[in-house]
Amino acid sequence: MQVTILVGSQWGDEGKGKIVDLLSENYYIVARYQGGANAGHTVEIGDDKYILHLIPSGILREGVSCVIGSGVVIDPVALLEEIEVLEKNNISVKDRLFISQNAHLIMPYHKLLDSINESGAQKIGTTGRGIGPCYIDKYARKGIRINDLLDRSLLAKKIKMNLDEKNLLLKNIYGKEELDVEKMIEQYQEFDKIIDPFIKDIPHYLNNAISEKKSILLEGAQGALLDVDFGTYPFVTSSNPTSGGACTGTGIPPNKISNVIGIVKAYTTRVGEGPFPTELLDEMGEKLRKIGSEFGATTGRPRRCGWFDAPLVKYSQMVNGIDTVAITKLDVLDHFENIPVCVSYELNGKKVKTFPSDSEVLNKITPIYETLPGWNSDTTGCENYEDLPSSTKEYLSFLEKASSIKVEIISVGPKRKQTFYKR
Ligand code: GDP
Ligand code: IMO
Ligand code: MG
């Protein structure tokens, strides 16, 4: 029996979806614990490609139950769209998707406020999914939760209370049109009928499963450097993607966690604003983006690309307690003569070995690189560790040492079969 947390180790889009899909074969339950439809987790099975935003990637494995924990913020519109796409592809969510009664709902005003905030002085480059404003209301204790959908008069009262305040803000501060209370009450009362069968007491469900020795995989969204506490604040998301968030976002206590798997991209990417020390603004960055198809799975935005940042991953290993790592997109480096890896930084003429998560400091540091030889050969067909060219193995060993990580899984393409264990 295993309770495993799977986290993104960099700025998101490390290939979590693909690895969750692969691992889910050995788990009874896959659960999301934070974030919302800002996530875009891609899974390719045969010729089919799925992008999951809210529903755990485990849904694509027959027989696996999926949970959306209380730490997740749920946009009912996005959820229903996702269910529809799955059902159209003959993937049933009935009796295998369970949603926490305590999860907060994304409301239309959250998305509106997200876009208004983004047009202000401090642009974060959000996904525009209303994530930040929804978590603001959660922590201000004004949020509307899944459970509230079950009591029509309470739901109406809460929507009215929120809109009384939001409309004042929209009209008087932002000069926007007020939102219609009755229309919103009607719209959200409709969601009740559809979402009701999925609602569950998640802490009891998950802890009972653990008592029955059933394995659980906790699927993180985003990545450690987007964590509101440990990331490059303020250029972060509004939740805790790091492993601690898996306990608070599901109700599984820390002493029931068996292990933490970190998903690490063989280079670095980031979407949105914020510091990125190893970013390549030249043709090398363009080459990584092109070969790696680095375009956002949720917004389609081009991802910023750069070399591997070892102190960053070492920091991520520390704050997440990562036991083993899945290295993804190694094949993207097949076409490079030389591959620089950032091993430390320089700040005011001094060498800095640890990753400074402070954005102001990060803007001032210069990465120091060690350059490794590329392998200039196709790894996409490799089926085991021995198949890899010796320079690729050296690259992996270098990353292990420089970032204090232990590579267990290697991914050399987007397909399920393009993955193997380093035994
Ligand atoms: P996630 O948000 O962490 O699940 O990652 P995304 O799905 O947003 O982005 C990862 C992208 O890389 C997806 O398009 C995957 O299909 C693709 N991918 C995953 N692993 C590999 C790999 O090893 N090689 C290549 N070339 N693509 C991969
Ligand atoms: P997955 O799960 C990459 C980024 C946004 C922005 C910041 C805040 O697919 O790895 P938000 O909409 O959350 O308020 O935006 O976080 N961001 C992601 N970047 N992958 C993601 O998810 C992301 N989710 C949010 O680009 O910089
Ligand atoms: Mg993604």
Side-chain angles (χ1 to χ4, degrees), residues 12-16 38-42 52 222 296-298 303:
D13 304 325
E14 297 89 353
K16 298 176 290 292
N38 49 348
H41 296 176
T42 314
L52 295 144
Q222 289 83 51
T298 296
R303 293 176 184 148

Side-chain angles (χ1 to χ4, degrees), residues 29-36 53-56 65-75 79 82-83 96-104 146 198-203 205-206 249-250:
I29 298 168
V30 179
R32 272 279 305 270
Y33 58 86
Q34 47 68 236
H53 301 285
L54 272 166
I55 298 176
S65 295
C66 288
V67 163
I68 299 181
S70 57
V72 176
V73 286
I74 301 175
D75 178 355
L79 178 69
E82 209 163 310
I83 292 175
R96 50 189 293 251
L97 176 65
F98 306 110
I99 300 175
S100 168
Q101 56 204 12
N102 293 348
H104 281 245
I146 286 284
F198 300 113
I199 303 178
K200 219 177 183 66
D201 176 342
I202 295 302
Y205 175 62
L206 292 177
T250 57

Side-chain angles (χ1 to χ4, degrees), residues 6 8 12-20 38-44 49-52 57 219-222 263 265 267 269 291-298 303 327-332 380 410-415 418-419:
L6 180 144
D13 304 325
E14 297 89 353
K16 298 176 290 292
K18 174 187 158 158
I19 303 298
V20 168
N38 49 348
H41 296 176
T42 314
V43 180
E44 289 193 23
K49 181 172 166 173
Y50 300 90
I51 299 177
L52 295 144
S57 308
E219 173 179 356
Q222 289 83 51
I263 313 302
K265 200 179 272 193
Y267 49 97
T269 62
I291 301 174
S293 306
E294 295 294 357
F295 295 90
T298 296
R303 293 176 184 148
I327 289 275
T328 59
K329 307 197 88 158
L330 189 59
D331 55 297
V332 176
T380 57
I410 296 164
S411 171
V412 290
K415 307 271 182 218
Q418 289 174 306
T419 333

Side-chain angles (χ1 to χ4, degrees), residues 352-376:
V352 178
K353 283 188 175 168
T354 52
F355 182 77
S357 64
D358 187 301
S359 284
E360 297 302 326
V361 178
L362 278 173
N363 279 329
K364 293 189 197 115
I365 60 169
T366 311
I368 300 172
Y369 292 102
E370 271 190 44
T371 300
L372 281 82
W375 42 95
N376 283 302

Side-chain angles (χ1 to χ4, degrees), residues 8 11-17 32 34-42 51-53 114 118 123-133 135 219-223 225-226 234-239 269-274 296-299 301 303-304:
W11 275 295
D13 304 325
E14 297 89 353
K16 298 176 290 292
R32 272 279 305 270
Q34 47 68 236
N38 49 348
H41 296 176
T42 314
I51 299 177
L52 295 144
H53 301 285
D114 194 355
E118 284 292 277
K123 188 171 153 45
I124 306 289
T126 71
T127 59
R129 299 300 189 263
I131 305 297
Y135 280 111
E219 173 179 356
Q222 289 83 51
L225 275 300
L226 286 172
F235 303 100
V236 291
T237 191
S238 302
S239 66
T269 62
R270 163 161 217 173
V271 198
E273 307 296 315
T298 296
T299 59
R301 291 178 290 177
R303 293 176 184 148
R304 299 157 65 192

